[in-house]
Each structure stands twice: as C-alpha cells, then as structure tokens.
Amino acid sequence: MLNKQEAEAALNQIEQTQRRSIELIGYWRSGIYVQIWGVVWIVAYMGSYFLPEVSNIIWLICNGFGVTATAILSLRDRNNAQQEKRLAWAMVVVASFGLLVSYNLLAHRPGTLPVFWTCLIMSAYILAGLWAGTRWIVLGAAVIAISVATYFYFMPWFDLIMAFAGGGGLLLGGTWMARAK
Amino acid sequence: MAELDEVIHQSTRLRIMAALNVLKKGEWVEFVRLKALIEASDGNLGAHLDTLARADYVEIDKQFVGKKPQTRIRATVHGRHAFKQHVTALRNLLEI
C-alpha cells in the first residue's frame, strides 16, 4: 500500500512524462511542415536572386506549393490534438494581419517587405514556442536575427543569404525538431 | 473503487504508460522515440515493455522498413483503461 507522499510522487512523475511527451511529439509532428517551408524559401529566394524580374511569380508559385503541401499534411493529421490546432490558428491570424499591412499600411520601399514578412512569420514561431516548446523560439529568433542583419548590412545579397541562411536554417531547424530527444 | 495496478506501478512502466496515453488511440510510436520520451535505456525499456505486453497493456509490432528492423509500440484499450484506473487510485489516495 502506498502512502500519500508516494502517491503524490507517482502523480508528479506521470505529469512530467506527459508534459515532456506532449512537447516532443509536437516537435515530431511539426518538423515536416518547417522542412517544407525551408525548401520553399530556398527555391523562392534563389529564384528571386537569379531572376529578380519575375520574383513575384516565383514567390506565388512557391507559396502555392507550400500552402498546398501544408494543407494536404494537415488533412492527413486532422485528428491533431487541440494544442496543435491552436498553433495553426495563431499562424493564420498573424498571416492575415501581414496581408492587411502589406496592402494598406506599409510603405512600399525596396527590401522592406521581405524583411517585414520574415519577422512577422518568425514572430509567429516565437509565439508558438510559448505553448509548444523553446525550439520554436530559438528557430524564430535566429531567422529574425539573420534577416535583420542582412537587411542592414548585406542588402545586395539579401535573396541569396536568405536562401542559404534563412531557408537552410528552417530546413536544419525542422530536422532539429523532427529529431528532438 | 479504483485500485492500484501492480504492473503499472513500477516507475519505468508508469512512465511508459503515461507517454503512450498522450498518443491518439491506436497510434503507434517507434521504440527509439518512446525511449526518448521516457529517457530509458534500450535494455531497460525492452524488459518493461515485455512485462506490459504480457499483461496485454501494450502491443508490440516488429517489422522491416527496407532492410532496417523497426519496432513500434502502442497502448491497448485494456492498457489505457488500466492506466486510467491506476491514476484514479493514486488521486484517491491523496484525498484520504
């Protein structure tokens, strides 16, 4: 027969294991989405660097691919836990805000929009990290730091740096999350 | 009245059942990932999984993915129910 202290210790052990499991399982399920967007960024930024005159079309196609792939995977995982649904909605809300600002509020100056969007989406990653684990926060903060530093100091190579450092960072970050231990 | 379960009560098996109960019903988890979830060694985890499987609390599936062997585990309906009963019994103890 257990005493109260032993019962409390066992319940704490259950709670700790389940908290850790929710965090790691969340990383494993989400890693593939981050990897997809890493590939999208690599292709789109590389395309923008070499073919700047059709940059908008390249982004439209790449984003279309990213959204479609994300939607297909989300449908496959439609029984996701409530926690993951909350994260997805947080991203939808932030992206909607970004669209609004892009078309109405932000002055259109060269280079401003890519940085703005990068920071906005990565802020959503940081926001997600508040619920889902610190790896989201590390990933979001690192990409924001790269894009802002590039914007201020290496603007002529912005697309190229973002392809490798931004897209590559997401790809590595996605792998880091998918293999979280 | 819920009663403590002697099979689940052991610390590693308690953590295994706690982790498996986070997964969706019927969802499998690979051995290496379960090992990461509960922070156990290969041998330790394997031995306790055998005990849980003998009690029909978990199902173990061994297959080959390409040429690589892969072991997957999931909690059975019976196992989930037993874990729930065990947690209720622990909570009841706190209220005495």
Side-chain angles (χ1 to χ4, degrees):
Chain A
M1 181 71 181
L2 292 182
N3 60 33
K4 269 189 181 183
Q5 283 76 20
E6 286 168 328
E8 201 172 351
L11 284 168
N12 282 338
Q13 205 171 26
I14 291 169
E15 197 193 324
Q16 277 172 18
T17 304
Q18 294 198 321
R19 200 181 312 130
R20 176 179 166 79
S21 299
I22 288 166
E23 184 176 331
L24 286 179
I25 291 167
Y27 286 143
W28 297 337
R29 286 181 183 152
S30 309
I32 183 68
Y33 294 96
V34 182
Q35 286 172 321
I36 286 170
W37 285 98
V39 172
V40 166
W41 276 32
I42 289 173
V43 173
Y45 273 117
M46 288 286 278
S48 297
Y49 181 76
F50 290 110
L51 302 164
E53 65 280 3
V54 287
S55 172
N56 287 346
I57 295 168
I58 290 170
W59 271 104
L60 197 68
I61 294 168
C62 288
N63 281 334
F65 166 79
V67 169
T68 307
T70 302
I72 290 169
L73 281 174
S74 300
L75 280 176
R76 193 193 65 176
D77 293 339
R78 65 180 176 274
N79 293 326
N80 280 353
Q82 190 62 33
Q83 176 85 339
E84 287 164 63
K85 283 182 188 160
R86 212 178 293 153
L87 295 178
W89 277 110
M91 299 221 183
V92 168
V93 169
V94 173
S96 304
F97 171 73
L99 278 170
L100 190 75
V101 172
S102 295
Y103 287 103
N104 294 309
L105 301 174
L106 200 75
H108 285 263
R109 283 177 297 192
T112 307
L113 274 181
V115 177
F116 165 73
W117 271 99
T118 302
C119 293
L120 185 72
I121 299 299
M122 289 304 115
S123 298
Y125 276 46
I126 293 171
L127 197 66
L130 296 175
W131 285 279
T134 48
R135 288 182 193 225
W136 287 101
I137 297 172
V138 172
L139 189 62
V143 176
I144 286 176
I146 290 166
S147 66
V148 170
T150 307
Y151 180 68
F152 283 116
Y153 302 109
F154 308 105
M155 201 53 207
W157 304 283
F158 183 81
D159 288 330
L160 204 57
I161 292 174
M162 287 309 291
F164 285 104
L170 282 179
L171 201 57
L172 280 176
T175 307
W176 180 45
M177 287 163 69
R179 294 184 178 177
K181 283 181 182 172
Chain B
M1 180 81 176
E3 285 184 15
L4 291 171
D5 189 307
E6 286 303 317
V7 178
I8 296 178
H9 173 64
Q10 195 278 338
S11 172
T12 307
R13 293 196 287 271
L14 183 71
R15 282 183 285 133
I16 292 171
M17 291 308 293
L20 291 178
N21 269 270
V22 169
L23 296 166
K24 293 175 226 164
K25 273 182 189 163
E27 187 180 355
W28 296 94
V29 65
E30 291 160 31
F31 183 91
V32 283
R33 289 194 155 173
L34 182 59
K35 198 176 80 170
L37 293 181
I38 67 157
E39 299 176 284
S41 67
D42 280 8
N44 193 22
L45 178 58
H48 287 297
L49 280 175
D50 284 342
T51 305
L52 288 167
R54 278 199 298 276
D56 192 29
Y57 287 173
V58 301
E59 210 177 321
I60 302 172
D61 174 54
K62 293 183 181 180
Q63 55 179 9
F64 277 87
V65 178
K67 286 181 179 176
K68 227 174 155 185
Q70 190 191 61
T71 303
R72 305 183 305 165
I73 299 102
R74 71 178 174 189
T76 61
V77 175
H78 182 49
R80 282 179 183 267
H81 179 71
F83 177 71
K84 208 172 156 188
Q85 291 288 104
H86 185 73
V87 172
T88 306
L90 288 172
R91 290 198 178 124
N92 288 343
L93 267 175
L94 291 185
E95 285 163 15
I96 294 170

